[in-house]
Amino acid sequence: MEWYSAKIVYQITNNQNDIVQFDEQVRVINAINKELAYEIANQLGYINQEKVITDTGAVLSWGFIAVTEIKSIGEVKHGAEVFSLIKEFPKERFIEETNKKAEYLKNTFQLSLNITA
């Protein structure tokens, strides 16, 4: 068995507006070969389609579009890199966005730790 990463793409629609979003998810799959990893990724794409009703009553729908990448990632071990994305932005904007994401994540974990404590 080998480990693969699969990029699964969904289209997110909202029944209360015309805005369309796309969700690219990278999933880890254990399979005997690349072809089977592709089949499993497609099955995951269909299985994980969902609809969520927000607190305002909007229905958000994740519709599976396609599997766009399958890559062998070798041995899976603690700290192994499974995804990397290089972006080109003005330095200040990128750092500001990164700090916002990091702060949000930090606050999320602090809230969950406070709830369970």
Side-chain angles (χ1 to χ4, degrees), residues 101-116:
K101 289 177 185 178
E103 187 65 27
Y104 174 79
L105 187 61
K106 179 181 172 185
N107 290 338
T108 300
F109 284 126
Q110 287 176 342
L111 284 174
S112 66
L113 290 174
N114 289 337
I115 291 170
T116 60

Side-chain angles (χ1 to χ4, degrees), residues 5-18:
S5 66
K7 186 179 283 186
I8 302 172
V9 182
Y10 295 89
Q11 178 177 321
I12 305 169
T13 56
N14 180 333
N15 72 332
Q16 292 186 352
N17 63 45
D18 293 331

Side-chain angles (χ1 to χ4, degrees), residues 27-45:
R27 302 284 186 112
V28 177
I29 296 172
N30 194 303
I32 58 174
N33 58 40
K34 198 171 191 175
E35 291 77 16
L36 183 57
Y38 176 76
E39 283 299 318
I40 292 169
N42 274 285
Q43 290 173 6
L44 287 170

Side-chain angles (χ1 to χ4, degrees), residues 33-102:
N33 58 40
K34 198 171 191 175
E35 291 77 16
L36 183 57
Y38 176 76
E39 283 299 318
I40 292 169
N42 274 285
Q43 290 173 6
L44 287 170
Y46 284 109
I47 290 168
N48 289 303
Q49 296 182 103
E50 66 178 325
K51 291 184 180 186
V52 176
I53 300 174
T54 68
D55 56 352
T56 62
V59 178
L60 304 179
S61 301
W62 273 254
F64 174 60
I65 296 176
V67 173
T68 60
E69 292 179 21
I70 297 287
K71 294 183 180 178
S72 175
I73 58 174
E75 181 183 353
V76 175
K77 58 185 177 183
H78 183 73
E81 181 179 310
V82 294
F83 179 75
S84 175
L85 177 64
I86 298 173
K87 295 182 176 184
E88 202 168 298
F89 286 103
K91 181 181 176 182
E92 295 77 18
R93 181 174 152 214
F94 183 79
I95 291 172
E96 180 181 331
E97 290 298 314
T98 299
N99 288 335
K100 283 181 186 178
K101 289 177 185 178

